Amino acid sequence: MTAALQLSTPRSVCSESCPVGTRKIIPNVTLFCCFNCIPCSEGEITNMTDMDNCLRCPDEEWPNLLNNKCIKRTVDFLSFSEYLGAIFTSAAILFFIITSTVLMIFMKYRRTPIVTANNQNLSYILLVSLMLSFLCPILFIGHPSEITCMMRQTATGLIFAIAISSVLGKTITVIIAFNATKPGSKLRKLVGSKITIAFVPLCSSGELLICIIWLICSAPFVDYDTKTVPGTIILQCNEGSILAFYLTISYIGVLALLSFCVAFFARKLPDSFNEAQFITFSMLVVCSVWASFIPAYLSTKGKYTEVVEIFAIFASALGLFGCIFIPKCYIIVCKPQLNTKKHLITKKSIMSSTM
């Protein structure tokens, strides 16, 4: 037994070998045989024992659970197959169908007083723009591409600019119609004219100019985020120019605020089927939504920034649609006796007596 012990080679180290996934660190430079084993840092591996340095994985890869091999990262984006993507897609199609139905109702009853009041052409433009705005969230779902990245913000901004511009035109129509009834008013020539429709291209041209400059100078592009979630590549759209992104939102906010102010002052004008009160509420909803969107957008990361923007699009579009068109559809479908010239004349006489 003693001879066997004498023949065995004594160990010259005071530490066991460092397994894969760890690296050696020597706490005392004078004792090279003694070392500690520490795990590799995030994103690094060791594939052999007793390695002094860890190896960093490529950007598209991530260490496995043992930290001894680099594997492909999980790719994450808001897809059509997950619950949120499927719910948003279904909601977009449902709201599109509902808005299309209302448009057909308005076209069918286009000669009735409630449709002809406040400029029916602007109502058609507003309904079409709302139909398109309900489809905009689909651009935020699915695998990002160069086309969808360039279209999602610019198309949404331009469509909402057209929608709010038509709302502003409808409010101005109410003011013109009221003032044209005054004796000797020069605004009578504008009643029934297409001058209010000119507000739509005029007011939305600023948004169009911002979008064109944005796409030419610093267009959005597909980006890869490997920092937010460990082991995951988040596919997302980089806005390119953050300034242009906030300019598009700010322009919509300015139009909505202007429409709100004009509608607020015109809400009590004694015009039959005056929708200024409903426009006031709708603009209040739009302003509230986009004001709360900015901090919510800045505080979220990854695909949930897209979820926040989709909520903002749905909420503002539903605010416009619900406040302006639901009351009219209720009268057209459920209370047709109120949608007559006789009721129009009676309502005018009552308003005139109260004034």
Side-chain angles (χ1 to χ4, degrees):
M1 188 68 179
T2 304
L5 289 174
Q6 292 177 348
L7 292 175
S8 63
T9 304
R11 294 179 61 84
S12 61
V13 295
C14 58
S15 301
E16 296 295 331
S17 296
C18 288
V20 293
T22 63
R23 66 181 180 90
K24 292 195 303 182
I25 180 172
I26 301 175
N28 191 338
V29 293
T30 59
L31 299 175
F32 294 100
C33 61
C34 295
F35 52 87
N36 295 329
C37 301
I38 62 172
C40 290
S41 302
E42 190 175 77
E44 296 180 340
I45 65 164
T46 53
N47 51 12
M48 292 188 298
T49 59
D50 292 333
M51 290 187 65
D52 295 325
N53 297 301
C54 296
L55 306 175
R56 176 161 290 278
C57 291
D59 288 341
E60 67 275 6
E61 295 181 348
W62 189 255
N64 60 357
L65 294 177
L66 298 177
N67 279 4
N68 64 348
K69 183 180 180 182
C70 292
I71 58 176
K72 289 290 183 180
R73 288 177 183 257
T74 303
V75 179
D76 189 29
F77 57 90
L78 186 60
S79 65
F80 289 99
S81 58
E82 61 181 296
Y83 288 118
L84 279 176
I87 291 172
F88 286 146
T89 304
S90 303
I93 296 173
L94 177 62
F95 294 146
F96 176 82
I97 294 173
I98 293 173
T99 313
S100 304
T101 305
V102 173
L103 177 61
M104 289 188 289
I105 291 173
F106 267 61
M107 294 181 69
K108 180 179 179 181
Y109 296 94
R110 62 185 178 277
R111 301 190 186 278
T112 58
I114 197 170
V115 177
T116 56
N118 309 117
N119 200 315
Q120 61 179 347
N121 291 325
L122 287 175
S123 296
Y124 297 155
I125 295 173
L126 178 56
L127 281 169
V128 171
S129 60
L130 287 175
M131 288 166 56
L132 295 176
S133 66
F134 282 128
L135 293 180
C136 284
I138 296 179
L139 294 173
F140 293 81
I141 307 172
H143 194 289
S145 65
E146 296 295 333
I147 299 297
T148 56
C149 285
M150 288 189 293
M151 286 184 61
R152 57 169 59 177
Q153 302 294 354
T154 54
T156 302
L158 189 57
I159 289 170
F160 268 99
I162 293 173
I164 298 176
S165 298
S166 61
V167 171
L168 180 60
K170 288 169 73 66
T171 311
I172 294 174
T173 300
V174 175
I175 298 174
I176 291 175
F178 170 71
N179 289 281
T181 58
K182 297 179 179 179
S185 176
K186 296 181 180 180
L187 295 177
R188 290 187 177 185
K189 298 178 182 179
L190 301 180
V191 178
S193 66
K194 296 182 179 180
I195 190 170
T196 51
I197 301 180
F199 278 98
V200 177
L202 181 65
C203 294
S204 57
S205 59
E207 186 80 1
L208 178 62
L209 182 62
I210 293 173
C211 293
I212 291 174
I213 295 174
W214 186 4
L215 293 177
I216 292 175
C217 297
S218 182
F221 57 92
V222 180
D223 196 12
Y224 304 89
D225 179 11
T226 59
K227 307 294 185 183
T228 302
V229 181
T232 302
I233 297 178
I234 300 176
L235 284 182
Q236 60 186 9
C237 289
N238 189 311
E239 307 304 344
S241 173
I242 297 297
L243 176 62
F245 171 68
Y246 286 113
L247 279 177
T248 57
I249 297 176
S250 300
Y251 193 87
I252 295 173
V254 170
L255 283 179
L257 188 61
L258 179 62
S259 299
F260 171 76
C261 293
V262 175
F264 181 79
F265 289 114
R267 72 192 189 282
K268 293 184 178 180
L269 292 182
D271 185 30
S272 300
F273 301 116
N274 182 6
E275 59 181 357
Q277 290 183 347
F278 302 118
I279 291 175
T280 303
F281 285 117
S282 67
M283 288 299 102
L284 187 61
V285 171
V286 172
C287 291
S288 301
V289 167
W290 290 105
S292 59
F293 163 74
I294 301 294
Y297 183 85
L298 293 174
S299 62
T300 53
K301 298 293 183 181
K303 64 181 179 182
Y304 294 104
T305 58
E306 299 166 349
V307 173
V308 168
E309 191 161 0
I310 291 173
F311 270 118
I313 293 171
F314 277 146
S316 52
L318 285 172
L320 284 171
F321 177 75
C323 293
I324 296 176
F325 292 104
I326 294 300
K328 290 187 174 183
C329 286
Y330 174 76
I331 294 176
I332 292 173
V333 177
C334 301
K335 300 286 185 180
Q337 67 274 13
L338 303 180
N339 190 17
T340 59
K341 289 184 178 179
K342 181 179 178 180
H343 176 73
L344 181 73
I345 296 171
T346 304
K347 190 174 181 180
K348 274 187 176 181
S349 61
I350 293 174
M351 288 180 175
S352 299
S353 62
T354 56
M355 293 294 292

